[in-house]
Amino acid sequence: MKKIFLFALMIALHHFVFAQQGEWTWVSGSNMANDIENFGTQGVPSTLNHPSALYEACEWTDTSGMFWLYGGWLNANLWKYNPSTNEWTWVNGPGSSVIPPSYGTQGVADPANTPGSRGYCAAAFTDKNNNLWLFGGLDNFYSAHNDLWKYDILTNEWTWMKGTNSAFDPGSYGVQGVPATTNVPASRSECAASWVDVSGNFWLFGGWTGSGTLNDLWRYNPATNEWTWMKGSSSTGASGVYGTKGVANATNCPGARACYTKWNDGNDNLYLFGGSELLNGLLYNDVWKYNISTNEWVWISGTNQSNSAANATSLCTQDVNFYPSGKWESRACWVDPCKKFWFFGGTSLNDISGVQNDLWKFDPVTLDWTWASGSLIVLQAGSFGTQGVSSATNHPPSTMGSNGWTDKQGNLWLFGGATFPDGWNTMWRFVPDTSCSGSGCGLSNNQQVNFTASDTDICEKFCINFFDSSSNNPASWQWFFPGGDPSSSTDQNPANICYQTPGVFDVTLIATDAGGISDTFQLNNYITVYSNPFAPTISKTGNILTSSPANSYQWQLNSLDIPGATNQSYTILQSGLYTVVIGDENGCNAQASIDALVGISEIEENSLVNIFPNPSSGNFIVEWLNVQIVGEASIDVVNTLGQKVFSSQQSPALWTSVDRKKEIDLRNLASGVYFIEIKSQNFFLKKKIIITKYP
């Protein structure tokens, strides 16, 4: 189990204590439109930091659950947000400057590289190595690109990986279905319909070229650095082929659109909703599913007509005949841990007058839509309430081009967007209501298999427990823990499942009732295992012990925590075995120890005080050579545990006597190392002595 320090725990408790199901909470940023950024110090998190109001930025979630944000119109900054501590960090970028791309050499990382100011819905991907990728979008000259960038979190460097360094490139489609190093999609913006499959490939659909919309589907393999044109047309303006609702066919294909809302069920099915054919003002509310293994699209929900109005009677009512209106710029979308799909806002008209704040949930198994929160009326003002406190009356303002993330608890996070001419930098959190018509986990309305874990974020070499919470009265259980040891179990509540290597892992439970009916529930990427940091090194200078750099420190004496000793350096007060336990940003620990004596400067030949003989059988002479002592002085002897074993007070007359010597009788003490401390108003000496009992 990761070690949680008290301060971080207090922050997290404050941050979540007011969260209620079905309610929004304003957690960061401003409740005033068009707020400017507060950068703070680059690389240093703070609750005071926040981005400016941003429109159509792109977002990622890394494997540790941190939220990342880049760009937005006329912005070139990279931000990281920690949902546990409510802290933003300005990680990279030029601050308030508007800058063009700086490409460097393709394939070569460099601190000077940058995609530049980038907005209008560039596509975003996170690879299996926790790198962040960005494709396309518009630069600060309204020019569309087809460049592909990789950002390495560890080195804080961008690399231009693919595509051209010029705007409005027509692309090179090659042969459909055939990868090639020369293939590259056409330059585009409004292309946020992007996915990552279970093999780590990136997928991209449609977008706006500057002269028309596309419906092409592309796959990129980061291992080979190759694009493959998989489906759709290489020309703009292609019409959709719907076929029969619910029936997949090789000829089916969504029509050309600038598409924003997309989901991934974790089983290599890619989903998209709505979008706009911008030239003709056509907005869609159709839901499409693409099966990677069959290379087929299927229209599964919504209408096949453009500009449809919403169909819903009331909040929290689930129905297969319900659906949202035609939408675009509804980029804020989520997949919850139960694999239900969500999206927020966007505009229901082909201009800024149709912006909404409605929140919808879609069940990809039952094909039911649920209007979960917000209004179906356009241009709603926000109700912010008190920052950090959820309320049934809180709700975000109507926005388009917002960003969304999901945390490991299944909460939905919403940032920014615009209600023109206003932009926002508010961070909101929404806790789904499990009583709101099937918002809980399950593969269908009758699905009752579920489970929990004692922890979902752990460090390597640690173990966790799993608990069956199914309500279908199972008689037997089959668990699968890829990456775990053991990797499977038939216990109802498996204990001590250990993860030896870092990574992100799924968990699956198949529960079978007494009648032999089985049901399966799987949570993808449910367990995150972090690498442990390297063991620290400890240096000693005098009485000061210093650890090598880390994120946190706890010093111990003889294996017990020293209260308040949580800095990189610690001044020891007594001799003993000192240990420093360091923690990294994920809360994983490593430690090192040193057997340290209280630092004593040995007396030099010309010292003012001499102690002899040393070593001795117990009789020592303290001799003052040429030192002026003011006031009464004490002579104390302590052992290596800091316990005082001898003490003597000396009058000022001794310091002026002719022989200037004092005999110390320690023959009653055992052999070992001791320390003499001599103190007065103007003098202090601490010297090591050794008692040796000769035969």
Side-chain angles (χ1 to χ4, degrees):
M1 190 77 64
K2 295 190 298 179
K3 185 171 185 178
I4 302 176
F5 292 102
L6 180 60
F7 179 66
L9 180 60
M10 290 175 65
I11 292 175
L13 288 174
H14 173 76
H15 192 45
F16 286 105
V17 70
F18 298 109
Q20 300 293 326
Q21 288 190 353
E23 294 183 353
W24 286 99
T25 307
W26 161 39
V27 296
S28 179
S30 176
N31 61 352
M32 303 296 292
N34 305 315
D35 188 39
I36 62 172
E37 64 280 314
N38 183 29
F39 287 105
T41 302
Q42 195 168 76
V44 179
S46 172
T47 54
L48 300 177
N49 296 346
H50 54 75
S52 63
L54 293 177
Y55 168 63
E56 292 194 326
C58 61
E59 76 282 333
W60 305 264
T61 303
D62 68 22
T63 55
S64 66
M66 300 295 173
F67 304 160
W68 294 78
L69 186 72
Y70 182 82
W73 182 236
L74 298 181
N75 194 288
N77 294 298
L78 180 69
W79 291 84
K80 179 175 72 172
Y81 178 78
N82 186 331
S84 298
T85 64
N86 192 25
E87 292 179 317
W88 282 103
T89 305
W90 171 38
V91 177
N92 192 300
S96 58
S97 301
V98 178
I99 61 172
S102 179
Y103 286 87
T105 302
Q106 194 170 84
V108 179
D110 192 281
N113 291 350
T114 174
S117 301
R118 193 67 66 105
Y120 282 81
C121 281
F125 318 89
T126 304
D127 69 20
K128 289 181 174 292
N129 297 316
N130 209 28
N131 298 305
L132 313 180
W133 295 69
L134 177 152
F135 172 85
L138 293 187
D139 65 17
N140 54 306
F141 295 106
Y142 286 90
S143 298
H145 288 269
N146 67 349
D147 46 357
L148 180 67
W149 292 83
K150 179 176 72 172
Y151 173 77
D152 189 315
I153 293 175
L154 296 178
T155 65
N156 191 24
E157 291 181 337
W158 286 100
T159 305
W160 169 37
M161 296 296 297
K162 197 76 173 176
T164 68
N165 58 0
S166 58
F168 298 113
D169 185 76
S172 178
Y173 281 75
V175 178
Q176 196 169 87
V178 179
T181 57
T182 56
N183 290 351
V184 63
S187 295
R188 65 194 71 194
S189 62
E190 314 289 2
C191 54
S194 56
W195 307 264
V196 180
D197 66 25
V198 295
S199 301
N201 299 308
F202 306 159
W203 293 77
L204 174 75
F205 175 86
W208 170 252
T209 66
S211 59
T213 49
L214 293 160
N215 76 336
D216 50 350
L217 179 69
W218 288 84
R219 182 186 67 201
Y220 173 78
N221 186 332
T224 63
N225 195 28
E226 290 181 329
W227 283 104
T228 306
W229 170 35
M230 297 296 297
K231 206 76 173 174
S233 174
S234 59
S235 301
T236 61
S239 299
V241 178
Y242 284 82
T244 301
K245 183 183 281 189
V247 179
N249 190 289
T251 61
N252 291 350
C253 193
R257 64 191 70 190
C259 186
Y260 292 81
T261 308
K262 78 329 176 101
W263 305 289
N264 188 337
D265 67 4
N267 295 313
D268 274 351
N269 296 303
L270 314 179
Y271 295 76
L272 65 83
F273 163 78
S276 173
E277 205 291 301
L278 294 174
L279 287 180
N280 299 315
L282 305 179
L283 274 64
Y284 300 102
N285 72 341
D286 45 359
V287 180
W288 290 82
K289 179 174 75 170
Y290 173 77
N291 186 305
I292 292 176
S293 61
T294 64
N295 191 30
E296 291 182 338
W297 285 104
V298 55
W299 164 43
I300 60 173
S301 181
T303 73
N304 59 357
Q305 304 296 313
S306 61
N307 301 322
S308 296
N311 181 32
T313 56
S314 59
L315 285 165
C316 286
T317 302
Q318 183 175 337
D319 197 293
V320 70
N321 295 312
F322 288 173
Y323 45 75
S325 65
K327 292 269 194 174
W328 69 296
E329 296 220 21
S330 49
R331 174 168 184 148
C333 52
W334 306 268
V335 179
D336 69 23
C338 309
K339 302 306 176 186
K340 307 292 177 66
F341 303 157
W342 301 73
F343 84 87
F344 174 87
T347 178
S348 59
L349 300 174
N350 203 41
D351 56 40
I352 61 176
S353 63
V355 184
Q356 294 180 279
N357 72 343
D358 48 344
L359 178 69
W360 290 81
K361 177 179 66 72
F362 178 71
D363 189 321
V365 176
T366 65
L367 306 183
D368 291 325
W369 278 103
T370 304
W371 170 30
S373 178
S375 174
L376 300 183
I377 301 173
V378 301
L379 299 177
Q380 294 292 299
S383 178
F384 291 79
T386 301
Q387 190 169 10
V389 181
S390 73
S391 171
T393 60
N394 292 351
H395 57 79
S398 298
T399 55
M400 52 196 293
S402 304
N403 297 95
W405 302 267
T406 310
D407 64 25
K408 289 183 177 294
Q409 290 73 39
N411 303 310
L412 315 182
W413 295 74
L414 174 76
F415 174 83
T419 316
F420 291 103
D422 294 330
W424 301 94
N425 72 343
T426 317
M427 179 70 89
W428 293 84
R429 183 184 68 246
F430 180 80
V431 180
D433 185 354
T434 55
S435 66
C436 182
S437 296
S439 293
C441 289
L443 300 180
S444 69
N445 286 338
N446 298 319
Q447 176 78 32
Q448 298 174 306
V449 177
N450 206 345
F451 59 81
T452 59
S454 58
D455 202 349
T456 59
D457 295 324
I458 61 173
C459 307
E460 61 177 308
K461 314 299 183 187
F462 281 77
C463 306
I464 53 178
N465 303 325
F466 291 87
F467 307 96
D468 168 48
S469 56
S470 303
S471 57
N472 64 336
N473 298 316
S476 63
W477 302 263
Q478 179 63 66
W479 297 80
F480 295 98
F481 311 107
D485 181 19
S487 60
S488 63
S489 175
T490 56
D491 294 341
Q492 180 179 5
N493 300 306
N496 294 318
I497 306 301
C498 304
Y499 289 83
Q500 306 297 331
T501 58
V504 181
F505 304 101
D506 304 338
V507 175
T508 302
L509 170 61
I510 303 173
T512 305
D513 64 19
I517 299 176
S518 297
D519 222 338
T520 301
F521 182 52
Q522 176 176 306
L523 289 179
N524 298 309
N525 301 326
Y526 186 57
I527 304 298
T528 299
V529 183
Y530 301 105
S531 300
N532 289 322
F534 292 110
T537 58
I538 302 175
S539 60
K540 183 175 183 292
T541 304
N543 292 341
I544 300 176
L545 302 180
T546 301
S547 169
S548 52
N551 195 62
S552 64
Y553 312 88
Q554 175 62 63
W555 290 92
Q556 300 175 341
L557 173 59
N558 299 327
S559 301
L560 298 177
D561 286 355
I562 303 172
T566 56
N567 295 323
Q568 185 175 1
S569 296
Y570 177 70
T571 302
I572 63 175
L573 303 176
Q574 63 188 74
S575 300
L577 179 66
Y578 284 88
T579 301
V580 62
V581 180
I582 64 165
D584 61 15
E585 64 179 2
N586 298 317
C588 297
N589 298 329
Q591 66 182 48
S593 299
I594 183 172
D595 195 357
L597 300 176
V598 174
I600 305 157
S601 299
E602 297 296 336
I603 305 300
E604 300 177 357
E605 291 183 2
N606 61 351
S607 175
L608 301 178
V609 177
N610 189 20
I611 300 176
F612 64 92
N614 190 15
S616 162
S617 61
N619 282 320
F620 294 89
I621 303 296
V622 179
E623 180 181 27
W624 290 267
L625 301 177
N626 185 22
V627 58
Q628 297 297 321
I629 302 295
V630 177
E632 190 172 67
S634 64
I635 300 176
D636 297 321
V637 178
V638 297
N639 60 21
T640 56
L641 297 178
Q643 300 167 327
K644 188 181 295 186
V645 295
F646 175 88
S647 182
S648 174
Q649 298 293 320
Q650 305 299 320
S651 67
L654 175 66
W655 311 121
T656 59
S657 63
V658 176
D659 58 7
R660 304 171 69 85
K661 294 179 182 178
K662 170 68 176 178
E663 181 178 353
I664 305 296
D665 186 357
L666 303 175
R667 287 176 295 178
N668 63 318
L669 300 179
S671 297
V673 177
Y674 297 85
F675 307 94
I676 289 183
E677 298 177 348
I678 303 174
K679 305 174 186 177
S680 74
Q681 294 180 19
N682 69 329
F683 183 81
F684 177 78
L685 167 74
K686 191 166 189 177
K687 182 173 176 62
K688 178 173 64 178
I689 60 174
I690 299 174
I691 297 177
T692 301
K693 302 294 187 179
Y694 294 103

